[in-house]
Amino acid sequence: MGTEESSGFEPATGDGPPIAESAATRAASVRTAFEGLLQIRRLTGSGRPDPEAAPAPWELNRPVRAVALALERSGATPSAVDPSGRRVSAGYRVSDGESAGSVRVEWTGPPGSGAAHDEEEALAGCAAALREAGWTVLLYRGPRRRRYLEVEPPSGLSGGHARS
């Protein structure tokens, strides 16, 4: 856990710089973080039949981070931006959703990257990974008919933030 403790591991949301560390180092960090998340689920969900099957309160209070970790763990590719905020690679982008406690997942990239062409298949993979991680996932079409996912905790679970 040395890397996570000393540098504060952050899963890729798609709004940060390209990942600078080696693929093997990053994969090890993601694996360690996800194993920690499963341990939190086991400890806080002991009254459920399968405590690992649904997000823990920690995740519900940090849904963007939890969803980004689940996506990165699945092997999905995050998008990235340069220091000026210009998108430099195609991939998932995780941000706050429209309602409290929800998360929006888009497949985005720089102009000419083919992100719009790839979004249907890529978002289907993201949705499958998030459902496997215990989240409720709905597919929508937004402006210019671009697809996106709205991700929420399963019914009966609520986070530390009150829903309006």
Side-chain angles (χ1 to χ4, degrees):
M1 268 228 202
T3 302
E4 288 75 25
E5 290 175 357
S6 62
S7 66
F9 174 82
E10 285 295 325
T13 63
D15 278 337
I19 295 172
E21 59 196 323
S22 75
T25 300
R26 183 67 183 188
S29 295
V30 169
R31 188 172 42 257
T32 299
F34 197 77
E35 288 170 1
L37 180 96
L38 292 178
Q39 182 63 17
I40 291 169
R41 285 183 176 192
R42 284 189 291 272
L43 292 171
T44 61
S46 59
R48 293 191 298 256
D50 182 1
E52 291 183 13
W58 180 91
E59 295 170 86
L60 302 178
N61 287 319
R62 298 160 189 81
V64 168
R65 187 172 188 197
V67 166
L69 178 58
L71 289 174
E72 194 169 357
R73 188 230 180 219
S74 77
T77 303
S79 184
V81 296
D82 67 13
S84 71
R86 193 183 84 222
R87 200 139 308 271
V88 295
S89 65
Y92 66 80
R93 177 180 182 263
V94 181
S95 59
D96 288 322
E98 293 181 21
S99 61
S102 72
V103 174
R104 181 180 175 124
V105 178
E106 304 168 277
W107 195 262
T108 189
S113 67
H117 180 270
D118 298 336
E119 76 181 2
E120 184 175 6
E121 184 178 339
L123 286 175
C126 291
L130 293 169
R131 286 184 184 111
E132 183 180 312
W135 294 91
T136 299
V137 182
L138 301 168
L139 176 66
Y140 290 100
R141 280 193 190 262
R144 297 187 313 266
R145 301 191 48 80
R146 292 294 306 264
R147 295 171 182 89
Y148 66 93
L149 304 175
E150 192 74 17
V151 184
E152 302 175 338
S155 296
L157 293 181
S158 62
H161 305 301
R163 289 190 176 257
S164 330

